[in-house]
């Protein structure tokens, strides 16, 4: 049954509120210290990576991409006219967020500061601050629920806030955003203890917030909450029937949120053949030894061992229950999954990680690359055990003794993280971050923000160039509109088509095709144009080539020129506009081969792919030299996204060659319209 309501405040509750106020100040101070000089210029500076210059190029590109993605998600939370499903990058690909991390959790944290300030980098900095600050507070609440000890909760919270990957990788804040897992554990235990709907609502909300973060902490949360929930259900069988409706409510909310967030990923994986096939990176157990990047810290390990050994004396702590054994089992499972194998002591046997197998059977799991990232859940367990270690050292001692132990532990944890010599001994290096500028010049920012809610194609397009597209996405964070720029874990299936068209600007046919795809602005990045192309660009402007194509200059700085795209040539989405183009026969060998098919837009208007933009079911018929059909097959393939009037596009399809040697004509038609061939290819099979 639920606990009866009380109106009076007990001494324990008064103490917890006072301690929570202290925790707020302590962890906020830690977060502010970590970010350092960033707050002297929060709209222009942020925490950036420091290290070898060659590595910094892609790391900085990553950070620009993350900044743009977080800010784009924040705008979608603020603007009711925008859908979370319609990502601003990789236009015109629908639901392009499925190519990588959605970062909705980070975007939600950035929404309020972005709405109040209008400054993308300030909103990003607030996210970094909150992730460290709230992580400490979440663990403080969880540890207090279990131990009812202020020193234990303060130390556990600080240890969690100081999680090394969280502090050393501000470039990917979503990867280590496991703060909601600690909060969910707190509400789970409180739900079993109190049985109230407020605890159930807290569990549902924090669980949903964790689902809005990266898949890495979600795996940790699933294991930790699953094992802990099972343990509580067995131990609290006397109240399980009363708690069951509330638990079912939480599971329904979490299931609905998971489907809303990850359903599009599964659909995109099936539709485009992406989100699979990545090779997971897993270190050996030696990668967690002292002096390495994954070592959790000597102070934390020592306190956690004390807390685990103390369990031999029996359960202890507050009414939230003692989950040390359950959490240790869950943490061990996560550590096992994050490494390549665990050697069995005194033998040559190895306990191989289950992750490679799970990635073959669990949909979407093979999209993970940095598999070692799931070990963050094991670190959370160490923080819980460390709290119990402090409890074991201070239990039944005078209050002043507990305060002294907490001060010493807090000082030791902080010193180990920031003192250069101690940090190198424990983690192999000092914190590899620095406060530095990450902003565009003021004139560029003002110009970009003046573009309004538009759809931008960046020039030069440079498909596949991550550094260039990171710069383009950084610009998108300022103008706030959609963009054709794309930078993600998986390549956009339409990026090459869009880039091929944009590369020929100011060709009027290209401008018409881009306008047909929904682009209404062209942003020329003078700072990325080679010197020769800059000279040609200036000459084209003087001749009026860009204006003749429907491109009107509307803004200019020293680095950028913005054009309004209003092509005088219309566009249609009718397949009747497309015809095949004969070409020389292609010699093919082997059971499978890539066959080129040529498509031409024969009309005066631009052709655009009819909605929905996705692979089509195609019928391919093989005809021999006597015009007799000898074979046919069906494949799924993406037809041309857009074709300017009078222009041609080549699309290559991988086909199975099931005919004897000879010369053949292959006709390609859409399923349901088999009588009209869209293209044809001539091959010689040897």
């Amino acid at each position: 049954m639920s606990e009866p309501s009380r109106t009076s405040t007990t001494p324990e509750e008064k103490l917890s509120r006072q301690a929570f106020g202290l925790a707020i100040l302590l962890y906020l101070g830690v977060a502010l210290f970590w970010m350092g000089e960033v707050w002297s210029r929060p709209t222009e500076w942020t925490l950036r990576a420091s290290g070898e210059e060659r590595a910094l190029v892609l790391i900085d590109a990553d950070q620009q991409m993350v900044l743009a993605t977080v800010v784009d998600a924040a705008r979608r939370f603020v603007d009711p006219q925008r859908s979370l499903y319609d990502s601003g990058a990789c236009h015109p690909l629908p639901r392009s967020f499925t190519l990588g991390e959605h970062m909705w959790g980070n975007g939600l944290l950035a929404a309020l500061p972005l709405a109040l300030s209008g400054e993308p980098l300030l909103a990003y900095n607030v996210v970094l601050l909150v992730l460290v600050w709230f992580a400490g507070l979440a663990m403080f609440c969880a540890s207090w629920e279990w131990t009812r000890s202020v020193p234990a909760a303060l130390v556990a919270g600080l240890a969690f806030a100081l999680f090394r990957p969280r502090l050393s990788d501000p470039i990917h804040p979503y990867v280590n955003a496991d703060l909601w897992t600690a909060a969910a554990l707190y509400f789970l235990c409180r739900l079993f203890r109190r049985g109230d709907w407020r605890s159930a609502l807290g569990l549902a909300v924090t669980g949903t917030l964790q689902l809005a973060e990266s898949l890495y902490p979600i795996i940790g949360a699933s294991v930790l909450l699953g094992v802990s929930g099972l343990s509580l259900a067995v131990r609290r069988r006397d109240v399980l029937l009363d708690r069951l409706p509330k638990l079912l409510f939480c599971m329904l909310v979490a299931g609905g949120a998971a489907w809303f967030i990850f359903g599009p990923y599964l659909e995109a994986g099936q539709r485009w053949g992406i989100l699979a096939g990545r090779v997971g990176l897993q270190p050996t157990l030696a990668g967690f030894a002292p002096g390495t990047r994954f070592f959790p810290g000597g102070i934390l390990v020592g306190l956690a061992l004390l807390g685990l050994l103390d369990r031999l004396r029996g359960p202890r702590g507050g009414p939230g229950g003692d989950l040390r054994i359950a959490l240790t089992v869950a943490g061990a499972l996560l550590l096992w999954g994050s490494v390549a194998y665990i050697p069995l002591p005194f033998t040559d046997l190895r306990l191989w990680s289950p992750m490679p197998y799970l990635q073959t059977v669990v949909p979407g799991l093979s999209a993970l690359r940095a598999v070692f990232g799931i070990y963050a859940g094991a670190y959370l367990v160490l923080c819980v055990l460390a709290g119990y270690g402090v409890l074991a050292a201070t239990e039944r001692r005078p209050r002043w003794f507990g305060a002294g132990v907490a001060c010493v532990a807090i000082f030791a944890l902080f010193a180990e993280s920031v003192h250069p010599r101690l940090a190198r001994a424990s983690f192999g290096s000092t914190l590899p971050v620095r406060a530095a500028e990450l902003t565009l010049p003021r004139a560029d920012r003002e110009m970009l923000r003046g573009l309004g809610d538009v759809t931008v194609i960046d020039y030069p397009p440079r498909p596949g160039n991550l550094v260039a597209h990171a710069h383009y996405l950084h610009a998108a964070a300022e103008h706030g509109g959609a963009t054709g720029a794309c930078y993600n874990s998986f390549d956009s299936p339409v990026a090459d088509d869009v880039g091929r068209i944009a590369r020929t600007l100011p060709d009027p046919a290209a401008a018409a095709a881009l306008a047909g795809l929904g682009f209404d602005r062209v942003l020329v990045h003078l700072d990325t144009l080679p010197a020769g192309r800059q000279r040609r660009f200036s000459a084209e402007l003087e001749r009026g080539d860009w204006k003749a194509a429907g491109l009107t200059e509307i803004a200019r700085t020293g680095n950028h020129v913005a054009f309004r795209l209003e092509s005088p040539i219309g566009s249609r989405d009718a397949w009747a506009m497309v015809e095949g183009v004969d070409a020389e026969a292609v010699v093919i060998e082997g059971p499978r081969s890539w066959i080129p098919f040529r498509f031409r837009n024969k009309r005066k208007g631009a052709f655009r792919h009819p909605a929905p933009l996705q692979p089509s079911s195609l019928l391919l018929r093989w005809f021999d030299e006597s015009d007799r059909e000898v074979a046919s097959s069906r494949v799924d393939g993406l037809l041309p996204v857009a074709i300017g009037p009078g222009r041609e596009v080549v699309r290559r399809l991988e086909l199975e060659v099931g005919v004897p040697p000879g010369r053949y004509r292959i006709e390609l038609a859409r399923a349901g319209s088999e009588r009209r061939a869209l293209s044809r290819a001539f091959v010689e099979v040897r």
Side-chain angles (χ1 to χ4, degrees):
M1 297 179 59
S2 303
E3 289 186 354
S5 60
R6 301 188 301 269
T7 57
S8 59
T9 302
T10 66
E12 185 180 73
E13 290 172 336
K14 184 177 180 180
L15 176 63
S16 70
R17 292 174 184 175
Q18 294 173 345
F20 188 71
L22 177 61
I24 289 175
L25 296 177
L26 174 62
Y27 307 141
L28 176 59
V30 169
L32 290 172
F33 178 86
W34 169 58
M35 299 190 71
E37 297 180 8
V38 166
W39 295 110
S40 64
R41 296 170 60 187
T43 63
E44 298 176 348
W45 284 25
T46 190
L47 285 180
R48 305 188 69 180
S50 60
E52 295 184 4
E53 187 174 349
R54 289 182 62 187
L56 289 181
V57 175
L58 282 180
I59 290 176
D60 285 351
D62 262 16
Q63 190 164 27
Q64 293 179 80
M65 176 272 292
V66 172
L67 168 66
T69 307
V70 170
V71 170
D72 179 67
R75 288 192 171 104
R76 296 181 187 284
F77 281 110
V78 172
D79 187 352
Q81 302 299 320
R82 302 190 185 196
S83 167
L84 281 173
Y85 279 177
D86 297 327
S87 175
C90 308
H91 184 84
L93 183 70
R95 298 187 177 183
S96 60
F97 69 90
T98 57
L99 296 175
E101 298 277 4
H102 50 274
M103 306 185 206
W104 290 353
N106 285 187
L108 182 60
L109 295 178
L112 181 60
L114 182 66
L116 294 176
S117 69
E119 294 288 345
L121 197 57
L122 174 61
Y124 181 77
N125 284 329
V126 171
V127 171
L128 297 181
L129 176 77
V130 168
L131 288 177
V132 173
W133 185 18
F134 281 20
L137 292 175
M139 180 54 70
F140 173 88
C141 292
S143 185
W144 170 262
E145 175 72 16
W146 293 316
T147 66
R148 284 300 192 267
S149 166
V150 173
L154 285 173
V155 172
L158 179 66
F160 196 52
L162 293 175
F163 180 40
R164 189 71 174 185
R166 197 186 335 270
L167 300 185
S168 62
D169 188 13
I171 293 89
H172 308 96
Y174 54 90
V175 172
N176 300 303
D178 56 350
L179 64 163
W180 307 116
T181 302
L185 284 169
Y186 162 71
F187 283 113
L188 175 65
C189 293
R190 204 177 83 156
L191 175 58
F192 270 92
R193 174 171 63 87
R194 299 176 57 173
D196 61 333
W197 279 102
R198 289 176 62 185
S199 298
L201 183 60
L203 177 58
V205 169
T206 53
T208 299
L209 288 172
Q210 189 60 81
L211 287 170
E213 300 291 357
S214 170
L215 189 58
Y216 297 100
I218 290 174
I219 294 174
S222 302
V223 174
L224 292 170
L225 290 170
V227 174
S228 299
L230 182 62
S231 174
L232 286 168
V234 172
R235 294 172 55 188
R236 301 298 306 273
R237 294 185 297 274
D238 55 325
V239 298
L240 181 59
L241 190 61
D242 177 72
R243 288 6 177 207
L244 192 58
K246 302 174 181 68
L247 290 170
L248 289 175
F249 164 76
C250 295
M251 287 188 284
L252 284 174
V253 171
W259 180 251
F260 177 81
I261 295 170
F262 295 106
Y265 280 90
L266 299 178
E267 182 182 346
Q270 184 177 16
R271 176 179 297 169
W272 297 104
I274 56 176
L275 308 181
R278 305 185 85 190
V279 178
L281 302 177
Q282 295 175 275
T284 63
L285 202 58
F288 295 85
T292 64
R293 58 178 295 196
F294 298 124
F295 182 59
I299 305 299
L300 178 63
V301 170
L303 289 173
L305 286 175
L306 177 61
L308 187 59
L309 291 174
D310 176 69
R311 183 62 179 81
L312 298 175
R313 296 194 297 166
R316 60 193 358 88
D322 192 333
L323 289 176
R324 276 179 284 184
I325 293 178
L327 287 174
T328 300
V329 170
L333 290 174
L334 290 170
L335 179 63
W336 178 33
S338 66
V339 298
Y341 60 86
I342 294 180
L344 297 180
F346 312 112
T347 71
D348 294 330
L349 300 178
R350 295 175 174 179
L351 193 61
W352 292 95
S353 170
M355 284 300 293
Y357 169 73
L358 292 175
Q359 287 181 310
T360 64
V361 296
V362 179
L365 202 58
S366 60
L368 291 180
R369 182 166 178 80
V371 177
F372 55 80
I374 67 174
Y375 98 98
Y379 183 91
L380 184 151
V381 173
L382 289 177
C383 294
V384 174
L385 295 176
Y388 277 103
V390 174
L391 176 65
T394 59
E395 198 175 25
R396 300 186 183 90
R397 302 274 185 171
R399 183 172 294 182
W400 63 264
F401 183 84
V405 170
C407 289
V408 171
I410 288 171
F411 176 81
L413 285 168
F414 191 73
E416 187 179 25
S417 293
V418 302
H419 190 278
R421 183 175 298 177
L422 296 176
R424 290 191 186 95
S426 290
F427 311 112
S429 69
T430 57
L431 278 176
V433 295
R434 73 193 193 284
E437 188 175 26
L438 182 66
T439 187
L440 300 174
R442 181 180 298 275
D444 291 322
R445 282 182 284 160
E446 292 176 354
M447 185 266 276
L448 291 169
R449 294 176 187 182
L451 294 181
D453 188 8
V454 293
T455 303
V456 175
I457 183 68
D458 297 273
Y459 185 89
R462 296 189 175 183
N465 187 320
L466 295 181
V467 175
H469 278 248
H471 177 67
Y472 300 163
L473 288 172
H474 192 174
E478 296 291 344
H479 64 65
T483 175
C486 202
Y487 182 135
N488 244 313
S489 301
F490 295 89
D491 294 332
S492 166
V494 305
D496 286 342
D497 272 20
V498 175
R500 170 187 48 77
I501 297 169
R503 189 181 297 115
T504 61
L505 286 174
D507 175 20
L514 292 171
L517 291 174
F519 292 102
D520 52 15
R521 297 291 186 275
V522 175
L523 184 61
V524 178
H525 297 260
L526 299 175
D527 49 354
T528 65
L529 278 179
R533 184 65 188 93
Q534 285 195 33
R535 289 191 294 271
R536 292 200 305 275
F537 174 68
S538 298
E540 290 165 354
L541 286 181
E542 291 179 4
R543 291 195 305 266
D545 295 350
W546 287 71
K547 188 172 184 179
L551 293 156
T552 305
E553 182 177 329
I554 57 175
R556 175 187 286 267
T557 67
N559 297 317
H560 300 91
V561 182
F563 294 88
R564 180 186 297 109
L565 173 55
E566 294 176 331
S567 173
I569 304 173
S571 65
R572 294 174 57 200
D573 58 355
W575 289 112
M577 302 173 69
V578 179
E579 66 178 1
V581 181
D582 292 344
E584 294 183 1
V586 178
V587 177
I588 58 176
E589 298 178 356
R592 298 187 67 84
S593 186
W594 289 91
I595 311 298
F597 291 87
R598 306 181 75 88
F599 301 84
R600 175 193 291 145
N601 178 2
K602 62 182 180 180
R603 301 295 175 87
K604 294 181 179 180
F607 163 79
R608 65 178 184 273
H609 193 293
L613 181 57
Q614 63 183 29
S616 301
S617 177
L618 304 175
L619 173 66
L620 294 121
R621 296 184 295 172
W622 295 65
F623 296 87
D624 61 15
E625 291 183 287
S626 62
D627 206 30
R628 180 173 59 93
E629 183 176 341
V630 295
S632 66
S633 62
R634 292 183 182 271
V635 298
D636 289 336
L638 179 65
L639 292 170
V641 172
I643 312 175
R647 301 299 186 264
E648 297 180 6
V649 172
V650 177
R651 180 71 83 233
R652 288 176 171 80
L653 297 176
E654 186 179 19
L655 305 182
E656 184 174 348
V657 182
V659 295
R663 298 178 67 89
Y664 299 91
R665 182 183 80 256
I666 309 174
E667 292 191 353
L668 179 151
R670 294 169 48 249
S673 302
E674 288 87 351
R675 293 185 177 181
R676 183 179 182 275
L678 287 177
S679 184
R680 54 187 173 271
F682 295 89
V683 299
E684 181 179 347
V685 179
R686 293 182 178 177

